[in-house]
């Protein structure tokens, strides 16, 4: 859209004053320009931000949802979604753990989530959770001292508009894909991280994050920027099951690594899969992309994912800088009637770039999963190397796992290796463990955890332990 | 302790055991010998509870309990342990982790609590030294990349830690060099006492020089056709199996 038109539109909308009820905390379902203007106004955003959103919205209108993936889902009615609702007031939330669904607490217990975090995760009103708040404040001071910016994306747009404007949408453009366009138009939550030149972030951003941002939004936008020689390890999500009234989740995550920077982004996610027929489960359509912009930069994605009725997700790396490194370690577990379509894209642009992909898929019950990996080596990526290993483990005979490796190699000096295996959980392995006295369910979890070890060891320690517990909970009842 | 009566077993419509009888009392060591394909591994696998074997007739009692009614893990917890002819590899699962899980599962079944970590470490170190296994084996994935002999020693290590009442060792001597044979035999002998029994499946007299059996049985074509003392093994070594067969047919 020409900028003049945009001007007009923006002016007209404000003039018309359709956002009459400033006090209103929620917009009625539906999406049009006025909804977007409302969101932007609520968030006290600068004008350029609103324009950016509207641009995305207009792109989105022209796009159609992807249908090529290995998934089946009923069409989503985008006009039935409410795109803005203020966070629940403290008095509307449970006041103590006694008011929380015992089943949820039981799961926290099984997952080994520390006691002081359970309340926060269960959405108990914040001032009831003394521990975590004070812990969080200490973290905040520490980060501030190091010069690391870590705040919500909305706060960042207000407080650090120049930084945000410089990087937002430079990795995942507004029109990148259907869900990214939608997200760009309406995102309301998410985080912003900036690690200045030469700074190694003094702590994992996980702990802090888990306590403070446990309630994920429907349209999250995360932007992590690591300046030259900076380092950060960021952990998103947690093993506690995420229940949400919102069925559709369409997040965008952008990572930017400048020269010699290293970003490690780990995700442990346990979405609500719905009942055994998949009803009520979450649709998770995520665009995650890392840009190794500087020479010798490195971006590493590690993810352990279970839950959601439908997952569509391909964290990827653009390896632009010379000798930059992209890594993808993933464990996807599906059970019941879940469907997952995941994978990664490694786009080699710069010389001597390297990428490693280790994808482990575990399917149980009647679930179905697909791994899709694209390794693309551009004409200038001399000496680029990729190693890919995809392993699937099937539990039972009603589930499926499919692997689709794609390679586009535009350079004869590149080395691309691919290994793939599919195995059934071996009866012989189970027998061996059981013949030692270990019961069947423990034996399965032992074998499955062994299968995932290459990925788990990439996770921050505490989460590796939780991830194991998560696998066990997910696969409960999948044998026998 | 173990009483197998008139056992008939079929695998995929093929009849393998055809009326096998065997009684083992506490304190005894029994050796089963016999030609390839006779059904020796099948016998121990059926006792341990491996899937895919159909018992069409007969009974197996262990300390008076009907083994065929028990789950695989229940049998192990009751004190039945199978040492595998071909121990399987379990990638990513540490050897020491399997040992601990197994021991704790068995303790739990006896109403005992988990073994304290220091005590467990001490036990494992001691026993792996006995088996002349480098401690690094404990940290490796179960049997992964182990040599044939190392796998066998690992089986005995598990046995030393789990202390079964009846150990069934299937060709524990195959693939062992001379020194390893001695180590394995010493390990097995260290378990011998009045409350335990051992069932050895072997092809060679060698092993029986180290672990001297009380009874030797010849299994041919799904049946025990001859039983005797330790001298029977010597005779078999010398004369092969044909004469036993002829004798049993006669
Ligand atoms: N799963 C199976 N399917 C088909 N046949 C089988 C199966 N398992 C065992 N058998 C057959 O049963 C017979 C007995 O096998 P078993 O392994 O018990 O012999 P064995 O006495 O232990 O022999 P060896 O001395 O070679 O170890 C063999 O003919 C074997 O091929
Ligand atoms: Mg055999």
């Amino acid at each position: 859209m020409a900028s003049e038109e945009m001007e007009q539109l923006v002016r007209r909308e404000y003039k018309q004053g359709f956002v009459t009820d400033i006090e209103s905390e929620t917009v009625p379902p539906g999406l049009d320009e006025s909804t977007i203007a409302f969101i932007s106004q609520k968030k006290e955003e600068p004008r350029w931000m609103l324009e950016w959103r509207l641009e995305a919205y207009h792109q989105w209108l022209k796009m159609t949802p992807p249908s090529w993936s290995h998934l089946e889902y009923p069409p989503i009615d985008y006009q039935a979604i409410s795109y803005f609702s203020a966070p629940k007031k403290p008095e509307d939330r449970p006041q103590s753990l006694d008011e929380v669904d015992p089943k949820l607490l039981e799961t926290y217990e099984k997952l080994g989530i520390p006691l002081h975090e359970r309340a926060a995760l269960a959405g108990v009103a914040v001032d009831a959770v003394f521990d975590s708040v004070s812990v969080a404040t200490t973290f905040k001071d520490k980060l501030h001292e190091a010069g690391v910016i870590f705040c919500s994306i909305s706060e960042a747009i207000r407080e650090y508009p120049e930084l945000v404007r410089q990087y937002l949408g430079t990795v995942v453009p507004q029109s990148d894909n259907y869900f990214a366009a939608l997200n760009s138009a309406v995102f309301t939550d998410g985080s912003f991280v900036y690690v200045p030149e030469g700074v190694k972030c003094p702590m994992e951003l996980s702990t802090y994050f888990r306590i403070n941002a446990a309630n994920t939004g429907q349209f999250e936008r995360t932007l992590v920027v690591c300046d030259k020689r900076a380092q950060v390890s960021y952990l998103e999500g947690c093993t506690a099951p995420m229940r949400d009234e919102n069925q559709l989740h369409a997040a965008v995550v952008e990572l930017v690594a400048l020269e010699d920077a290293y970003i490690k982004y780990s995700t442990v996610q346990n979405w609500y899969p719905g009942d055994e027929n998949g009803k009520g489960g979450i649709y998770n359509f995520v665009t995650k992309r890392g840009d190794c912009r500087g020479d010798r930069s490195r971006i590493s994605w590690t993810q352990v994912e279970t839950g959601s009725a439908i997952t569509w997700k391909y964290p990827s790396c653009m390896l632009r800088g010379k000798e930059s490194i992209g890594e993808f370690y993933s464990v996807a577990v599906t059970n019941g009637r879940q469907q997952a379509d995941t994978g990664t894209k490694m786009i080699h642009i710069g010389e001597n770039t390297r990428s490693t992909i280790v994808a482990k898929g575990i399917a149980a019950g009647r679930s179905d999963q697909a791994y899709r990996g694209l390794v693309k080596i551009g004409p200038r990526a001399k000496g680029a190397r990729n190693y890919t290993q995809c392993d699937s483990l099937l539990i039972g005979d009603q589930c499926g796992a499919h692997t689709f490796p794609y390679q586009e190699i535009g350079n004869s000096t590149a080395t691309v290796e691919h290994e793939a295996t599919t195995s059934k959980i071996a009866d012989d392995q189970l027998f061996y463990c059981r013949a030692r006295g270990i019961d069947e369910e423990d034996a399965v979890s032992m074998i499955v955890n062994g299968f995932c070890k290459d990925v788990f060891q990439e996770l921050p320690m505490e989460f590796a332990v939780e991830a194991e517990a998560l696998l066990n909970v997910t696969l409960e009842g999948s044998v026998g | 302790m173990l009483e197998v009566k008139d056992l008939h077993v079929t695998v995929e419509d093929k009849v393998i055991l055809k009326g096998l009888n065997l009684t083992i009392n506490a304190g005894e060591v029994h050796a089963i010998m016999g030609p390839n394909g006779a059904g020796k591994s099948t016998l121990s696998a059926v006792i341990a509870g491996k899937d895919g074997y159909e018992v069409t007739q007969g009974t197996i009692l262990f300390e008076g309990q009907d083994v065929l009614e028990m789950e695989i893990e229940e049998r192990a917890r009751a004190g039945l342990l199978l040492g595998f002819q071909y121990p399987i590899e379990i990638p990513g699962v540490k050897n020491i982790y399997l040992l601990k899980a197994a021991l704790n599962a068995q303790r739990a079944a006896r109403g005992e609590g988990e073994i304290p970590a220091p005590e467990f470490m001490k036990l494992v170190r001691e026993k792996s030294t006995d088996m002349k296994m480098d401690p690094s084996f404990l940290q490796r994935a179960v049997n992964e990349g182990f040599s044939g002999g190392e796998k066998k020693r690992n089986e005995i290590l598990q046995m030393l830690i789990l202390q079964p009442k009846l150990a069934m060792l299937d060709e524990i001597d195959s693939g062992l060099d001379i020194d390893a044979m001695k180590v394995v035999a010493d390990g097995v002998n260290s378990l011998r006492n009045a409350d335990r029994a051992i069932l050895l499946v072997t092809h060679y007299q060698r092993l029986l020089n180290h672990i001297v059996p009380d009874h030797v049985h010849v299994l041919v074509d799904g049946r025990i056709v001859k039983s005797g003392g330790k001298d029977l093994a010597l005779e078999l070594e010398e004369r092969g199996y044909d004469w036993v067969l002829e004798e049993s047919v006669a």
Side-chain angles (χ1 to χ4, degrees):
Chain A
M1 180 184 313
S3 69
E4 201 177 311
E5 275 174 73
M6 170 71 82
E7 275 297 301
Q8 270 182 2
L9 177 80
V10 169
R11 215 174 309 127
R12 190 185 74 222
E13 284 172 352
Y14 276 117
K15 203 160 60 200
Q16 284 177 350
F18 50 80
V19 189
T20 45
D21 189 4
I22 285 289
E23 296 305 303
S24 155
E25 294 301 318
T26 307
V27 286
L31 180 58
D32 58 20
E33 286 165 357
S34 70
T35 328
I36 292 165
F38 177 83
I39 292 170
S40 193
Q41 193 177 348
K42 271 283 175 195
K43 295 276 173 188
E44 298 165 41
E45 290 175 354
R47 168 78 161 273
W48 62 265
M49 193 64 234
L50 172 62
E51 287 169 11
W52 195 86
R53 286 175 181 279
L54 287 170
E55 216 174 279
Y57 172 67
H58 288 285
Q59 305 264 19
W60 178 73
L61 285 178
K62 287 184 242 153
M63 299 167 92
T64 45
S67 58
W68 50 270
S69 53
H70 197 88
L71 304 174
E72 281 174 45
Y73 64 96
I76 297 166
D77 180 0
Y78 294 92
Q79 296 303 334
I81 295 171
S82 172
Y83 289 86
F84 183 86
S85 57
K88 272 191 182 165
K89 294 201 192 89
E91 54 269 32
D92 295 337
R93 306 163 96 194
Q95 297 302 305
S96 76
L97 277 177
D98 299 341
E99 295 174 31
V100 174
D101 180 2
K103 254 206 134 133
L104 192 63
L105 296 180
E106 198 183 301
T107 315
Y108 291 169
E109 175 88 48
K110 280 188 198 160
L111 291 170
I113 291 175
L115 212 56
H116 69 271
E117 289 180 20
R118 292 184 200 170
L121 291 174
V124 171
V126 169
D127 36 335
V129 197
F130 309 107
D131 273 7
S132 48
V133 172
S134 59
V135 171
T137 316
T138 325
F139 287 159
K140 202 150 196 164
D141 291 347
K142 229 167 133 185
L143 287 174
H144 188 78
E145 237 169 76
V148 174
I149 300 173
F150 181 36
C151 60
S152 76
I153 191 87
S154 304
E155 191 182 334
I157 292 167
R158 284 193 306 270
E159 306 292 326
Y160 312 97
E162 288 319 309
L163 266 179
V164 176
R165 199 173 182 180
Q166 187 182 346
Y167 292 105
L168 187 75
T170 61
V171 186
V172 180
Q174 289 140 296
S175 58
D176 188 79
N177 67 68
Y178 190 78
F179 299 108
L182 178 62
N183 174 290
S184 302
V186 302
F187 73 87
T188 47
D189 310 272
S191 314
F192 175 74
V193 178
Y194 175 78
V195 188
E197 203 172 317
V199 171
K200 185 173 175 216
C201 186
M203 62 198 219
E204 302 261 351
L205 290 182
S206 55
T207 331
Y208 174 92
F209 187 72
R210 284 204 322 168
I211 296 165
N212 281 270
N215 291 322
T216 49
Q218 201 175 357
F219 300 101
E220 277 192 83
R221 184 100 196 178
T222 300
L223 176 58
V224 179
V225 180
C226 242
D227 216 319
K228 292 175 187 164
R229 300 185 315 283
Q231 284 187 25
V232 70
S233 167
Y234 184 97
L235 195 132
E236 164 201 58
C238 78
T239 51
M242 286 286 173
R243 263 175 189 275
D244 202 306
E245 297 102 62
N246 299 316
Q247 193 168 39
L248 171 69
H249 282 247
V252 171
V253 177
E254 297 180 279
L255 311 183
V256 181
L258 302 185
E259 260 171 56
D260 296 293
Y262 175 26
I263 301 177
K264 185 175 171 63
Y265 192 103
S266 316
T267 308
V268 175
Q269 200 75 269
N270 181 10
W271 297 98
Y272 178 58
D275 61 19
E276 60 260 51
N277 297 316
K279 218 177 137 214
I282 285 178
Y283 299 175
N284 189 22
F285 299 106
V286 182
T287 307
K288 287 183 164 178
R289 193 170 307 151
D291 188 356
C292 284
R293 211 164 277 184
D295 293 350
R296 296 168 305 280
S297 57
R298 175 175 170 198
I299 288 179
S300 175
W301 298 100
T302 305
Q303 58 178 34
V304 175
E305 194 123 2
T306 171
S308 82
I310 292 180
T311 300
W312 178 89
K313 182 172 172 182
Y314 314 90
S316 22
C317 294
M318 310 284 295
L319 302 168
R320 283 183 219 281
K322 279 185 206 156
E323 290 166 43
S324 60
I325 299 175
E327 293 163 313
F328 175 75
Y329 301 96
S330 146
V331 168
V333 195
T334 51
N335 199 352
R337 285 181 183 270
Q338 294 168 22
Q339 301 174 58
D341 198 303
T342 64
T344 185
K345 292 177 201 162
M346 291 290 173
I347 315 293
H348 292 254
I349 300 164
E351 278 174 28
N352 295 316
T353 45
R354 276 188 288 148
S355 62
T356 303
I357 299 172
V358 178
K360 306 270 181 178
I362 299 155
R366 308 180 69 164
S367 66
D368 202 46
Q369 56 174 269
Y371 168 83
R372 229 172 265 283
L374 169 67
V375 176
K376 188 171 176 176
I377 308 228
R380 286 191 295 117
K382 285 201 200 93
R385 275 186 293 158
N386 162 267
Y387 171 74
T388 300
Q389 183 191 334
C390 299
D391 301 318
S392 316
L393 187 66
L394 306 178
I395 303 177
D397 48 19
Q398 296 192 348
C399 49
H402 320 267
T403 307
F404 305 98
Y406 305 98
Q407 294 175 352
E408 290 172 28
I409 299 170
N411 191 310
S412 59
T413 59
T415 320
V416 176
E417 287 175 73
H418 181 91
E419 286 176 33
T421 65
T422 298
S423 46
K424 276 201 162 222
I425 193 157
D427 289 342
D428 288 346
Q429 291 176 335
L430 267 183
F431 178 58
Y432 190 86
C433 296
R434 294 177 73 193
R436 300 296 177 245
I438 298 166
D439 71 39
E440 191 171 15
E441 222 155 68
D442 290 345
V444 168
S445 91
M446 202 152 133
I447 295 165
V448 168
N449 278 301
F451 173 78
C452 299
K453 201 170 141 244
D454 299 348
V455 174
F456 285 174
Q457 69 193 14
E458 295 295 325
L459 284 173
M461 184 58 196
E462 69 213 88
F463 282 99
V465 174
E466 278 187 30
E468 274 185 36
L470 173 60
L471 272 195
N472 299 345
V473 171
T474 309
L475 294 174
E476 240 172 45
S478 61
V479 289
Chain B
M1 178 176 276
L2 181 78
E3 217 174 326
V4 180
K5 272 198 190 140
D6 192 29
L7 188 66
H8 289 70
V9 172
T10 309
V11 179
E12 290 174 8
D13 296 330
K14 188 176 165 201
V15 183
I16 295 173
L17 298 184
K18 308 169 179 171
L20 186 139
N21 293 292
L22 178 66
T23 302
I24 298 177
N25 298 307
E28 296 177 347
V29 174
H30 289 242
I32 294 189
M33 305 180 81
N36 293 130
K40 302 180 297 296
S41 296
T42 303
L43 174 65
S44 52
V46 170
I47 297 173
K50 189 167 184 189
D51 283 344
Y53 297 89
E54 195 192 344
V55 177
T56 52
Q57 202 177 315
T59 53
I60 304 174
L61 296 182
F62 180 65
E63 299 199 302
Q65 279 181 285
D66 182 355
V67 168
L68 296 175
E69 288 299 307
M70 296 159 78
E71 293 288 344
I72 302 164
E73 51 269 36
E74 289 171 344
R75 301 180 197 198
R77 291 167 189 174
L80 261 171
L81 189 105
L82 174 61
F84 286 77
Q85 182 172 358
Y86 304 109
I88 193 139
E89 303 188 353
I90 311 180
V93 176
K94 276 188 189 171
N95 216 8
I96 191 162
Y97 183 75
L98 176 85
L99 277 172
K100 193 169 179 185
L103 180 59
N104 281 331
Q106 300 209 1
R107 286 171 67 109
R110 295 193 292 264
E112 297 167 21
E114 291 197 355
I115 185 168
E119 197 181 313
F120 176 70
M121 287 314 295
K122 190 166 162 276
L123 177 71
V124 174
R125 287 235 177 77
E126 194 183 297
K127 300 299 183 192
S128 44
T129 310
D130 287 351
M131 290 317 295
K132 303 236 172 4
M133 285 172 76
D134 190 271
S136 65
F137 278 96
L138 297 167
Q139 302 302 327
R140 284 170 60 179
V142 178
N143 293 321
E144 198 179 36
F146 287 25
S147 75
E150 288 162 354
K151 284 182 182 170
K152 294 297 170 75
R153 272 189 278 171
N154 199 35
E155 292 292 292
I156 302 298
L157 172 65
Q158 294 179 3
M159 194 180 78
L160 294 181
I161 286 173
L162 297 175
Q163 303 265 317
K165 288 181 187 153
L166 173 62
M168 301 182 286
L169 304 175
D170 195 355
E171 292 197 30
I172 199 67
D173 51 340
S174 66
L176 293 182
D177 65 35
I178 298 161
D179 294 336
M181 167 93 76
K182 182 88 174 52
V183 170
V184 163
D186 288 347
V188 175
N189 284 327
S190 75
L191 270 183
R192 285 179 86 155
N193 72 20
D195 302 323
R196 286 208 184 90
I198 291 160
L199 175 62
L200 297 170
V201 171
T202 182
H203 287 292
Y204 305 107
Q205 164 60 29
R206 274 187 322 196
L207 179 72
L208 305 181
N209 287 335
H210 296 288
I211 311 172
V212 181
D214 303 299
H215 301 274
V216 175
H217 310 278
V218 185
L219 203 168
V220 179
D221 193 23
R223 254 176 295 230
I224 287 180
V225 295
K226 190 172 178 69
S227 298
K230 64 179 189 323
D231 297 337
L232 178 56
L234 288 169
E235 201 170 351
L236 290 170
E237 178 107 324
E238 210 164 292
R239 299 174 61 190
Y241 292 113
D242 287 350
W243 66 276
V244 189
L245 262 179
E246 280 159 24
E247 204 172 80
S248 74
V249 173

